[in-house]
């Protein structure tokens, strides 16, 4: 009996989850051996494999041929990855993703695209986005305070292009250096997350002051720019 497309994707999904399970077992083994360097590398392998498995899992329902599958998957993703966004009182745009972005070359950024694009589409539906023609695009990588600092990643090793492309689509005429400077930083917080800010260039010192004095968590987000 010929295998269906659904059966082929199901088989690939099973293989990926088996690989993820093996990587997690290896991570646990290295941890119990107090080999934290090896555990760290194994944990990232687990992360990369699991991301690929989740992408297959998200595609799997569509292969059943049921109608309106993508709408149901998008709604489920919205619940599983509750992305916050909005404008601050000072006119900044802020995006809060409850996850760290993947490492370049080892993790797929597609899962971020699959969650972020529908979220931004819903947010801007029926309203005209602000246009930031001279701004600073800020990536603030927030690490769980329980995570050892040696597990923080170099900014150059984090996949950010896909998020930048989506933000540019809605809020920037261009992300070229002449119109949009880029700034990257890391901080400790209550949980792993990624914060992205679009800040008018002249207000960048105000943002730096707020970040240095740990006031960003107090910033309220609004549906419309004041």
């Amino acid at each position: 009996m010929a295998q269906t497309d659904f059966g082929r994707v199901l088989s690939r999904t099973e293989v990926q989850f088996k690989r993820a399970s093996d990587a997690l077992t290896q991570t646990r083994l290295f941890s119990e051996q107090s080999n934290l360097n090896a555990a760290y590398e194994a944990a990232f392998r687990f992360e990369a494999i699991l991301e690929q498995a989740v992408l297959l899992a998200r595609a799997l329902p569509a292969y059943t041929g049921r109608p309106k599958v993508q709408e149901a998957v998008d709604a489920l993703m919205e619940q599983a990855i509750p992305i916050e966004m909005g404008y601050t009182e000072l006119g900044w745009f802020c995006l809060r993703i409850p996850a760290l972005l993947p490492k370049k070359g080892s993790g797929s950024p597609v899962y971020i695209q699959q969650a972020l694009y529908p979220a931004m589409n819903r947010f801007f539906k029926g309203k005209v986005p602000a246009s930031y023609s001279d701004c600073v695009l800020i990536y603030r990588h927030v690490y769980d305070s329980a995570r050892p600092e040696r597990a923080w990643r170099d900014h150059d090793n984090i996949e950010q292009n896909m998020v930048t492309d989506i933000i540019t689509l809605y809020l920037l005429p261009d992300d070229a250096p002449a119109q949009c400077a880029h700034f990257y930083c890391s901080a400790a917080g209550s949980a792993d997350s990624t914060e992205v800010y679009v800040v008018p260039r002249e207000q960048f010192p105000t943002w730096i002051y707020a970040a240095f004095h740990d006031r960003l968590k107090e910033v309220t987000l609004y549906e419309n720019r004041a």
Side-chain angles (χ1 to χ4, degrees):
M1 182 177 178
Q3 191 178 32
T4 63
D5 289 341
F6 179 80
R8 281 190 288 272
V9 176
L10 181 60
S11 296
R12 289 173 57 196
T13 305
E14 289 173 336
V15 169
Q16 285 299 105
F17 274 97
K18 176 62 168 60
R19 291 181 61 207
S21 177
D22 291 344
L24 185 59
T25 298
Q26 193 175 42
T27 303
R28 167 62 68 183
L29 178 63
F30 286 134
S31 176
E32 291 174 349
Q33 294 173 348
S34 298
N35 188 348
L36 292 183
N37 286 333
Y40 172 76
E41 294 299 327
F44 271 111
R45 283 196 300 274
F46 168 71
E47 178 190 19
I49 295 168
L50 191 58
E51 285 170 4
Q52 295 168 4
V54 169
L55 292 177
L56 287 168
R58 287 178 181 166
L60 190 59
Y63 284 90
T64 64
R66 293 290 186 90
K68 298 185 177 180
V69 169
Q70 192 57 52
E71 290 90 334
V73 171
D74 288 347
L76 184 61
M77 288 172 56
E78 185 179 6
Q79 296 175 18
I81 310 176
I83 297 174
E84 293 182 80
M85 66 185 75
Y87 299 100
T88 72
E89 288 185 356
L90 294 178
W92 312 340
F93 183 81
C94 175
L95 184 66
R96 295 169 180 161
I97 303 171
L100 293 171
L101 301 184
K103 290 175 63 178
K104 290 182 178 178
S106 64
S108 171
V110 176
Y111 80 97
I112 294 293
Q113 180 191 43
Q114 290 183 337
L116 180 56
Y117 184 77
M120 293 196 73
N121 192 42
R122 285 190 298 270
F123 179 83
F124 287 113
K125 187 175 183 179
K127 59 170 102 48
V128 178
S131 181
Y132 296 87
S133 58
D134 187 20
C135 64
V136 181
L137 181 60
I138 302 165
Y139 279 87
R140 187 170 183 257
H141 307 284
V142 181
Y143 295 90
D144 190 323
S145 56
R147 178 193 287 256
E149 191 168 334
R150 63 177 175 273
W152 293 20
R153 292 170 289 176
D154 294 336
H155 301 143
D156 290 344
N157 199 29
I158 301 175
E159 182 58 68
Q160 295 154 155
N161 288 343
M162 188 166 287
V163 176
T164 298
D165 289 343
I166 295 174
I167 290 176
T168 301
L169 180 65
Y170 283 93
L171 295 162
L172 308 175
D174 193 346
D175 65 342
Q179 293 183 311
C180 180
H182 290 230
F183 180 77
Y184 310 104
C185 63
S186 298
S190 59
D192 289 343
S193 63
T194 303
E195 298 173 0
V196 187
Y197 296 83
V198 185
V199 177
R201 197 182 297 261
E202 68 273 9
Q203 293 187 30
F204 181 58
T206 303
W207 185 92
I208 288 289
Y209 181 88
F212 183 79
H213 291 279
D214 197 27
R215 294 183 179 176
L216 294 175
K217 61 186 177 184
E218 302 171 3
V219 174
T220 301
L221 302 182
Y222 300 93
E223 288 283 323
N224 296 291
R225 190 181 185 188

